Amino acid sequence: MLGIIGGMGPGASALFYDMIRSKTDAGCDQENLDLILLSHASIPDRTEAILSKDESRIRALRDKLLADAIFLQNAGCTAIAVTCNTAHCFVNMIEDEVEIPFIHMIRETAEAMASEFSGKRVAILATDGTIETKLYQDELLKQGVIAIIPSEEIQTLIMSEIYGYIKSGKPADEKTWMKIEEYIKAQGCEAAVLACTELSVVRRELSLGSFYFDPMEIMAERCLDFYEKRGEVKKRG
């Protein structure tokens, strides 16, 4: 049984569940993957905690995520996925304290991009918190990929798309997105990572093409791979 720590935000968690469902070749209910989705929407904002540099706020958030992971472990889950890129800063702090593995969205994405984009420029579109922690920069560097961080002006537009639109329950703003895309392509980027789960929602709403890599979709595939190897999910493909 897969455990999912979600609610960060709820729309992205619902999309992740749909990804799991749609990628499973199930002919009936019983051939789908058993899972528990823990939608912890009230957990404090990850970016705010990171940017505050307040050790007490950071530790409190870390402890909440650890409690969620242990809850899922005790409920019988055998792996955990976290549907928030920024929260992986805290996953890195707690993964050694949990007996079951995390299917780590950032590492899986970097590995998935390694062969095609080694030595190439790839844009990281993320929250200020994810950029600050260098989660993607460090993992992509290990794979030989050149991570490009947006300018301050473009980063403001990305945060507006995340917080002003998707997290506020509004549809993605296409005009804002076109400005973002024009900028990153002008920087010579050959791909972009949608390194915030709200941007996964943008991808679906605006029907973004193959230029964009969606870490949440990669994590969904790895979750299914994890259980396939153990014979617990019907073989796909």
Side-chain angles (χ1 to χ4, degrees), residues 4-72:
I4 303 170
I5 302 177
M8 304 177 281
S13 302
L15 178 57
F16 183 72
Y17 178 82
D18 191 50
M19 288 177 176
I20 290 284
R21 180 199 58 79
S22 64
K23 290 176 181 295
T24 303
D25 183 16
C28 61
D29 291 348
Q30 291 73 27
E31 292 177 349
N32 282 278
L33 176 62
D34 288 336
L35 59 83
I36 296 175
L37 169 55
L38 174 58
S39 186
H40 195 166
S42 64
I43 199 166
D45 188 276
R46 283 67 58 202
T47 290
E48 287 182 3
I50 290 166
L51 296 181
S52 75
K53 301 189 186 302
D54 183 328
E55 289 299 326
S56 62
R57 288 181 66 180
I58 291 170
R59 182 161 188 86
L61 205 155
R62 170 206 174 278
D63 290 347
K64 287 179 185 294
L65 199 68
L66 178 59
D68 288 346
I70 291 174
F71 172 85
L72 292 172

Side-chain angles (χ1 to χ4, degrees), residues 132-150:
E132 175 71 18
T133 60
K134 297 185 178 180
L135 285 167
Y136 275 96
Q137 297 95 303
D138 290 345
E139 290 298 329
L140 287 171
L141 179 62
K142 291 176 186 177
Q143 302 295 340
V145 179
I146 303 168
I148 302 301
I149 304 306

Side-chain angles (χ1 to χ4, degrees), residues 42 68 78 112 164 172 199 212 217 233 236:
S42 64
D68 288 346
T78 50
L199 298 183
Y212 296 95
E217 184 165 24
V233 174
R236 282 161 293 280

Side-chain angles (χ1 to χ4, degrees), residues 35-228:
L35 59 83
I36 296 175
L37 169 55
L38 174 58
S39 186
H40 195 166
S42 64
I43 199 166
D45 188 276
R46 283 67 58 202
T47 290
E48 287 182 3
I50 290 166
L51 296 181
S52 75
K53 301 189 186 302
D54 183 328
E55 289 299 326
S56 62
R57 288 181 66 180
I58 291 170
R59 182 161 188 86
L61 205 155
R62 170 206 174 278
D63 290 347
K64 287 179 185 294
L65 199 68
L66 178 59
D68 288 346
I70 291 174
F71 172 85
L72 292 172
Q73 174 184 292
N74 291 342
C77 296
T78 50
I80 297 174
V82 179
T83 59
C84 174
N85 287 269
T86 313
H88 279 71
C89 171
F90 302 94
V91 170
N92 292 348
M93 298 176 187
I94 67 171
E95 58 185 337
D96 290 341
E97 298 179 51
V98 182
E99 294 176 5
I100 59 177
F102 284 87
I103 298 175
H104 198 289
M105 184 155 51
I106 286 82
R107 292 176 198 149
E108 296 292 352
T109 299
E111 289 179 11
M113 300 186 74
S115 59
E116 187 174 354
F117 295 100
S118 180
K120 298 178 181 178
R121 297 164 68 86
V122 171
I124 308 301
L125 308 182
T127 63
D128 293 346
T130 299
I131 297 294
E132 175 71 18
T133 60
K134 297 185 178 180
L135 285 167
Y136 275 96
Q137 297 95 303
D138 290 345
E139 290 298 329
L140 287 171
L141 179 62
K142 291 176 186 177
Q143 302 295 340
V145 179
I146 303 168
I148 302 301
I149 304 306
S151 67
E152 185 175 341
E153 177 185 357
I154 297 301
Q155 184 62 27
T156 299
L157 295 181
I158 295 168
M159 289 292 283
S160 173
E161 197 76 76
I162 294 167
Y163 282 89
Y165 289 91
I166 304 305
K167 282 186 179 291
S168 297
K170 301 175 185 176
D173 184 72
E174 189 169 9
K175 289 183 179 178
T176 297
W177 194 262
M178 289 303 99
K179 291 178 183 177
I180 295 168
E181 182 173 295
E182 181 180 2
Y183 170 84
I184 57 180
K185 288 186 175 180
Q187 302 306 304
C189 295
E190 298 191 33
V193 179
L194 299 173
C196 173
T197 49
E198 271 65 45
L199 298 183
S200 300
V201 178
V202 172
R203 174 177 175 250
R204 177 164 291 191
E205 290 186 2
L206 300 183
S207 300
L208 300 180
S210 59
F211 179 79
Y212 296 95
F213 279 72
D214 187 346
M216 196 157 67
E217 184 165 24
I218 292 168
M219 182 170 69
E221 292 168 355
R222 296 300 177 270
C223 287
L224 292 173
D225 289 344
F226 181 90
Y227 288 95
E228 232 172 30

